[in-house]
Amino acid sequence: MSTLNNEPVNNAVGHPTRPATLVWLLVMVVLWGLSWPATKLALNVVPPLWLAAIRFGSAGLCLFLFVAARGKLRFPSRADWPVVASVGVLQMMVFTGLGMIAMQHTDTSHAVLLAYTTPLWGILTSWLLMRNAPSKLQIIALITGLIGIAMICSPAEMDWSKPGVMIGCSLLIIGAISWSLVIVHVRHHQWTDTPLSLAPWQMLLATVPLTLFAAVIDGSPSAIVLTPHLLWLLFFIGPVATSVCFVISTEHGRRISVFAMSNFTLGVPLIGAAASVAILGSHLSSLFIGGLVLVFLGVSMTALSGKKKS
């Protein structure tokens, strides 16, 4: 649950990368990967929309305090409100809300991998919205990734007879497509304020409607029993894996190239899938591993095509 390529294009290519930057980015990827099984565990107790609202509410509060402490808290300018709206609504509210609903019906390893197909859908959204015709490498990347997705979602890999399985996969793919729209918007937005200074407002914009939807759909939160274990999970999912990792992404992600950052984030689904095996006891079939390899190849080629264009 990251901000995959959700940054202004940086120009860090050719500049030396400090070891500390790589360490921080590695920490970010590990925390993001671990947030997926943590979310799955929390969903056993907390309804999905309430969990999404708590995640962004707690993370947003932390970022408001952090940005204010740095003296950079201010109301977004009119020029930046479109990107505040697209990130807050399409990425944070739609992607996360649908993803948490889907995770009730989908194995965590499948969920994290399908969520990180976003760059593949970005090829299509950029083509349809910005009229950027895909290169041969991008077409190959898309086909390769789609074959991997088909393998992961096939009846040979998933039990289509189980209630909600296909709905879960569909919601994850819809969420990934909505996120790809945000990435296209972010890359073409003319920034006035920094992504970090806008993040608290984006999270606030996501939290309010998520809370309203949760109250209507999931009912009162009074039924949620706040045990020490659940409080730790909520703290990890919100303030740690969302707000802390967002700060790491914005502060250190800009110090490396977009291509390098794209490859770094490929570690998130890998760690998420491995953690689901270690923590949740998930089983990774040979068909899933084959689909994972193809999706990784497709996303890697997508990142490579972006590097060649830059």
Side-chain angles (χ1 to χ4, degrees):
M1 296 185 181
S2 72
T3 53
L4 179 67
N5 289 342
N6 218 31
E7 307 283 342
V9 176
N10 68 59
N11 298 304
V13 181
H15 294 276
T17 302
R18 295 179 180 179
T21 292
L22 298 179
V23 171
W24 277 113
L25 291 175
L26 181 60
V27 169
M28 175 195 73
V29 168
V30 170
L31 292 176
W32 271 338
L34 292 176
S35 71
W36 286 85
T39 298
K40 185 71 170 181
L41 290 172
L43 284 170
N44 292 329
V45 183
V46 184
L49 294 180
W50 276 119
L51 183 56
I54 293 170
R55 176 194 176 192
F56 287 117
S58 60
L61 177 60
C62 291
L63 283 182
F64 269 116
L65 295 174
F66 179 79
V67 175
R70 299 180 70 174
K72 296 183 178 180
L73 182 61
R74 54 184 173 270
F75 197 73
S77 65
R78 181 179 298 180
D80 281 328
W81 266 109
V83 81
V84 170
S86 68
V87 173
V89 174
L90 288 178
Q91 180 186 338
M92 295 181 177
M93 186 182 79
V94 175
F95 172 80
T96 303
L98 292 181
M100 289 192 176
I101 294 172
M103 286 183 70
Q104 293 185 308
H105 311 288
T106 310
D107 183 85
T108 305
S109 55
H110 292 77
V112 64
L113 185 57
L114 290 175
Y116 273 76
T117 59
T118 299
L120 299 173
W121 306 115
I123 296 174
L124 291 177
T125 54
S126 182
W127 184 13
L128 295 175
L129 297 180
M130 308 304 298
R131 303 304 181 191
N132 293 330
S135 64
K136 290 182 180 179
L137 182 59
Q138 288 177 319
I139 293 175
I140 295 173
L142 182 60
I143 294 174
T144 302
L146 289 177
I147 293 174
I149 293 171
M151 291 171 63
I152 294 166
C153 297
S154 69
E157 170 60 20
M158 291 185 171
D159 187 357
W160 286 10
S161 63
K162 288 185 177 180
V165 168
M166 291 307 299
I167 293 177
C169 291
S170 300
L171 291 179
L172 286 164
I173 292 174
I174 292 171
I177 293 172
S178 71
W179 191 358
S180 72
L181 294 172
V182 176
I183 292 175
V184 172
H185 183 194
V186 165
R187 287 177 176 171
H188 292 84
H189 178 69
Q190 298 297 318
W191 295 79
T192 301
D193 293 316
T194 64
L196 182 58
S197 65
L198 297 178
W201 301 101
Q202 293 164 341
M203 292 185 183
L204 177 62
L205 185 60
T207 301
V208 172
L210 279 171
T211 301
L212 294 176
F213 282 126
V216 173
I217 298 174
D218 290 338
S220 171
S222 59
I224 301 173
V225 179
L226 294 176
T227 63
H229 181 250
L230 177 59
L231 288 173
W232 161 245
L233 288 175
L234 296 177
F235 174 74
F236 178 76
I237 294 167
V240 176
T242 303
S243 58
V244 171
C245 287
F246 193 96
V247 173
I248 295 174
S249 175
T250 54
E251 293 295 303
H252 295 278
R254 60 186 174 82
R255 298 176 184 175
I256 64 175
S257 68
V258 174
F259 176 70
M261 188 63 175
S262 298
N263 282 294
F264 248 105
T265 54
L266 282 175
V268 176
L270 186 61
I271 292 172
S276 71
V277 174
I279 299 173
L280 305 176
S282 300
H283 172 70
L284 304 184
S285 68
S286 57
L287 185 61
F288 174 84
I289 294 174
L292 182 148
V293 170
L294 290 178
V295 170
F296 264 56
L297 285 174
V299 174
S300 297
M301 284 188 286
T302 302
L304 181 60
S305 67
K307 180 182 181 183
K308 289 183 176 182
K309 286 184 177 180
S310 61

